[in-house]
Amino acid sequence: MSVDEENTVFWVAVMLLPLLSVLLVVMDRVEDRLLTPAPAKPRHAARKRHLRLIRGGTGSGEPVTDDGLSEPRAA
């Protein structure tokens, strides 16, 4: 082996070290994400909130008068 070939082999080995360490870290993160169990309750599942479309529509049975609180919309 000549000196040039030895230097080339050395520099290839030196350049591969950071690449392999980054690959190791990435694969560790991927493995952790794939192997962790799913949470029992998804984060976005909250208590259901229903809109009240009618005033006093909570089941009281009596409609509530408007008393001029709402304004008509422009067409």
Side-chain angles (χ1 to χ4, degrees):
M1 247 178 158
S2 69
V3 175
D4 289 335
E5 290 175 1
E6 288 178 10
N7 283 340
T8 304
V9 170
F10 174 76
W11 285 110
V12 167
V14 167
M15 296 304 287
L16 282 177
L17 285 174
L19 180 66
L20 290 176
S21 55
V22 168
L23 181 65
L24 178 68
V25 169
V26 168
M27 291 307 296
D28 184 50
R29 297 256 177 135
V30 168
E31 182 184 36
D32 287 344
R33 188 169 288 195
L34 288 176
L35 296 180
T36 55
K41 185 177 180 184
R43 286 184 280 157
H44 66 276
R47 194 173 60 92
K48 295 206 176 213
R49 299 181 186 126
H50 297 284
L51 297 175
R52 293 184 185 174
L53 300 177
I54 302 171
R55 286 191 193 173
T58 60
S60 63
E62 280 184 36
V64 178
T65 59
D66 191 3
D67 294 338
L69 297 176
S70 63
E71 298 176 12
R73 290 192 216 167

